[in-house]
Amino acid sequence: MTHDHDLELRPTAAQITAALNPPPGRNGGDLVVETLAGLGATTVFGLPGQHALGMFDALRRSDLRYIGLRVENNAGFAADAYGRITGEAAPLLLSTGPGALTSLAALQEARAASAPVLAISSQIPTAGLGGGRHGYLHELPDQSASFRGVVKSVHTVRAQSQIPSAIAEAWKSALTAPHGPVWVEIPQDVLLSPTLLPVVTAVDATPEDLIPRPELTAVAADLLSKASRPAIIAGGGVVRADASKKLRQLAEKLQAPVVTTPGGKGAFPWTHPLSLQSWLEDRHTTDFLEDADVVLVVGSGLGELSSNYHTFAPRGRVIQIEADLGKLESNHPALGIHADAWHAVQALLETVTERTDPTAAERVAELLGRVRERINAQELTLEQGVLKSVRKALPANSPSFWDMTILAYWAWSAFDAKGPNHLHSAQGAGGLGYGFPAALGAAAADPTRPVLAVSGDGGALYSIAELATARQYDLNVTWLIVDDGGYGILREYMTDAFGEATATELTRPDYVALAESFGVPGVRTSPEALESDLAKALGEPGPSVVVLPVVLRMFAATHLG
């Protein structure tokens, strides 16, 4: 019996010769970088450490580009952004123990946001494994246990022959919907030992498609076709699956208004007649969605931010399309469809009946008018002006990366991303320090357009060391630091809850002088000069810092009066 693929498995004479005569001087680290290159990786992020030196030495013999950051967590954020921008798995090379553990917060964000990151860590020598106390530097009783609750999958290597398959399996896991971070660990001696294994060339790690079950999409299509007031909530899964155009076609066919979550920013055109924009943190919008007789949720788990802090109580039927099985019906009963957003929306597009609804656009315009009235009644001219200046200064096709700061909270609701995969924030896990290192990763992914990072002064101090990285690799990132002298959002939360704030005030440096000490140009601006100063900085190549000393306030999300 002959299999169709037998010919594909038969090596050529040249391949046989190359396999039998591998180049000298290779070690286990070479197997790592050869596998990454064979999978299609071109750029790796990371930080060297004693046990990982075999991998880093092998980079010297490869064509992979290395971007080294100053803190492992920041390297994780940079890889996260690279994965979001390219849709490829971003390799992150780390050392054992403290180096590996320092990346945990970044990997948590990547998991929450479904960003494909391939973390490869060293481990103590094989002789020390087994949960004992051998006294090796960086030793943990069970290093991989620290990652199992954070990453999508864990892959352990104990011999050189396992390296290509383990990395390929991890790559496939990272890029199978839902995308996410994965973890590979390899002992120091396995990385350092010479290898006679042939050079890794062809590696197959094609991710699996997550196709919806047709009986479920048939029921969903029937519900949507017969609905009188359908509405759509578009989440980050729409962006990750590159399903924005399909979603627009579906919304137009159904005449269904669409609201985007913080993770789904840009998944639907901001100025479209059916666009509810992103005002999910708003009781008017919540009321609108509750009034819908069928709500289609695409690529969102309807978590805290996407449900207006769990106040959303739908009265109609909910259809939920979600690639992460654990998120299906985790917050609301629904017709749960476990699928990648692109395939599911395509299936609905082919099976729904076109609806006509002359009132849909009118209801959308009326809702947005009420939202504007509520905001305008709160005397937030400064905040709206700052956000408008940022939007005007930022080129329409440039991505932006936002730390957990008051201006980012405004951006989730009020910022027009101008397209899918343009606005990114740390809203998945909510850790500080995301904005600037993530922007560096995006600039490494695409150097042809400037990238904006936005931080508060509190978050900026988490990643200030990466000014050296920005300068070293001459990355096109402009970093806007909104300096309000403390943890502004926590100050506001505590004052509202307790009458005064504690532990929120910060002594901070002169950020302009500090940036210049790294060789990065800096400018201190004002709300009035922000647009021009930011546009100028974004228009010049290389890194730059714009500091805006201002105290901003959050908007109230509930009805007034």
Side-chain angles (χ1 to χ4, degrees):
M1 178 173 156
T2 303
H3 294 285
D4 291 339
H5 57 263
D6 279 356
L7 292 176
E8 298 172 19
L9 299 177
R10 196 170 298 151
T12 64
Q15 287 173 323
I16 292 171
T17 301
L20 295 176
N21 298 279
R26 292 164 62 246
N27 60 23
D30 288 272
L31 296 173
V32 173
V33 299
E34 289 164 7
T35 303
L36 291 174
L39 288 165
T42 58
T43 301
V44 300
F45 299 88
L47 208 69
Q50 178 180 321
H51 294 152
L53 294 181
M55 284 193 292
F56 284 83
D57 178 60
L59 286 174
R60 179 169 53 88
R61 294 183 288 279
S62 82
D63 293 327
L64 294 175
R65 176 179 60 155
Y66 170 65
I67 305 288
L69 286 93
R70 300 319 196 257
V71 182
E72 288 86 355
N73 202 51
N74 294 336
F77 284 144
D80 165 301
Y82 187 96
R84 296 191 199 197
I85 292 295
T86 63
E88 302 166 5
L92 172 65
L93 306 185
L94 301 167
S95 192
T96 318
L101 295 176
T102 302
S103 72
L104 277 169
L107 295 175
Q108 183 189 4
E109 178 58 42
R111 181 69 185 277
S114 298
V117 175
L118 173 55
I120 304 176
S121 163
S122 58
Q123 175 58 294
I124 63 171
T126 310
L129 297 174
R133 302 282 185 189
H134 299 276
Y136 283 101
L137 190 70
H138 308 328
E139 181 179 356
L140 288 165
D142 184 355
Q143 178 173 271
S144 62
S146 299
F147 293 84
R148 282 198 183 93
V150 175
V151 299
K152 188 179 175 188
S153 58
V154 169
H155 311 259
T156 57
V157 168
R158 294 296 179 257
Q160 288 184 345
S161 59
Q162 298 174 5
I163 289 175
S165 293
I167 292 176
E169 185 180 300
W171 181 279
K172 182 177 180 179
S173 174
L175 289 174
T176 296
H179 293 177
V182 294
W183 178 260
V184 181
E185 67 170 32
I186 309 172
Q188 179 189 28
D189 54 318
V190 176
L191 290 170
L192 287 176
S193 298
T195 186
L196 295 176
L197 291 171
V199 173
V200 183
T201 52
V203 189
D204 180 21
T206 306
E208 298 171 6
D209 285 333
L210 189 56
I211 308 293
R213 285 165 40 204
E215 71 273 19
L216 294 177
T217 54
V219 173
D222 184 64
L223 287 170
L224 289 165
S225 300
K226 293 176 179 176
S228 57
R229 295 180 314 283
I232 298 174
I233 300 174
V238 177
V239 177
R240 295 282 83 77
D242 196 19
S244 300
K245 289 180 181 177
K246 295 289 182 188
L247 183 77
R248 177 177 178 171
Q249 291 173 328
L250 180 64
E252 290 173 346
K253 194 170 184 179
L254 291 171
Q255 283 298 291
V258 181
V259 65
T260 56
T261 72
K265 292 289 292 188
F268 194 75
W270 188 258
T271 56
H272 192 285
L274 293 171
S275 176
L276 297 168
Q277 300 178 355
S278 302
W279 291 97
L280 273 171
E281 194 178 332
D282 179 280
R283 192 61 227 178
H284 290 309
T285 303
T286 307
D287 290 344
F288 186 99
L289 295 171
E290 288 178 350
D291 185 56
D293 57 343
V294 179
V295 178
L296 173 64
V297 184
V298 187
S300 171
L302 289 182
E304 186 176 26
L305 295 180
S306 303
S307 62
N308 200 357
Y309 299 91
H310 295 301
T311 63
F312 173 48
R315 293 190 292 274
R317 290 292 302 272
V318 176
I319 302 165
Q320 186 184 16
I321 296 167
E322 176 55 58
D324 188 335
L325 185 60
K327 291 181 179 178
L328 268 188
E329 296 192 74
S330 61
N331 287 305
H332 295 281
L335 174 65
I337 302 176
H338 183 218
D340 174 80
W342 193 96
H343 293 289
V345 173
Q346 176 63 26
L348 291 177
L349 200 51
E350 293 171 359
T351 48
V352 297
T353 303
E354 189 166 350
R355 290 180 69 256
T356 56
D357 185 351
T359 69
E362 295 173 16
R363 290 186 291 118
V364 168
E366 181 188 355
L367 170 69
L368 293 178
R370 279 187 283 151
V371 171
R372 275 193 302 273
E373 287 174 12
R374 181 180 58 76
I375 293 293
N376 292 338
Q378 296 179 45
E379 298 180 1
L380 296 165
T381 307
L382 170 64
E383 289 75 7
Q384 293 182 81
V386 167
L387 201 62
K388 190 176 295 183
S389 294
V390 174
R391 181 62 276 172
K392 286 182 177 178
L394 183 66
N397 68 337
S398 280
S400 56
F401 291 81
W402 303 67
D403 215 330
M404 296 296 284
T405 185
I406 286 177
L407 195 60
Y409 293 17
W410 270 93
W412 293 343
S413 294
F415 196 79
D416 178 3
K418 300 286 186 185
N421 214 23
H422 284 183
L423 188 148
H424 305 271
S425 70
Q427 53 84 35
L432 275 177
Y434 175 80
F436 186 52
L440 298 179
D446 182 1
T448 66
R449 50 185 179 167
V451 181
L452 174 67
V454 181
S455 300
D457 56 299
L461 289 172
Y462 273 66
S463 43
I464 204 77
E466 305 311 336
L467 283 168
T469 302
R471 183 74 284 163
Q472 181 169 347
Y473 299 99
D474 204 30
L475 296 168
N476 289 325
V477 175
T478 293
W479 190 8
L480 173 61
I481 300 174
V482 182
D483 184 359
D484 66 2
Y487 300 117
I489 191 67
L490 299 179
R491 177 195 290 145
E492 192 163 312
Y493 287 162
M494 292 189 80
T495 302
D496 288 347
F498 311 116
E500 60 182 298
T502 304
T504 59
E505 306 314 298
L506 297 173
T507 297
R508 68 273 193 204
D510 179 338
Y511 286 103
V512 172
L514 185 57
E516 290 173 346
S517 75
F518 283 93
V520 174
V523 62
R524 182 179 297 269
T525 190
S526 64
E528 296 75 24
L530 175 60
E531 182 187 338
S532 60
D533 286 340
L534 197 56
K536 181 181 178 184
L538 285 160
E540 295 173 351
S544 57
V545 170
V546 177
V547 181
L548 174 65
V550 69
V551 176
L552 302 176
R553 294 187 300 127
M554 274 302 294
F555 56 83
T558 55
H559 296 326
L560 294 174

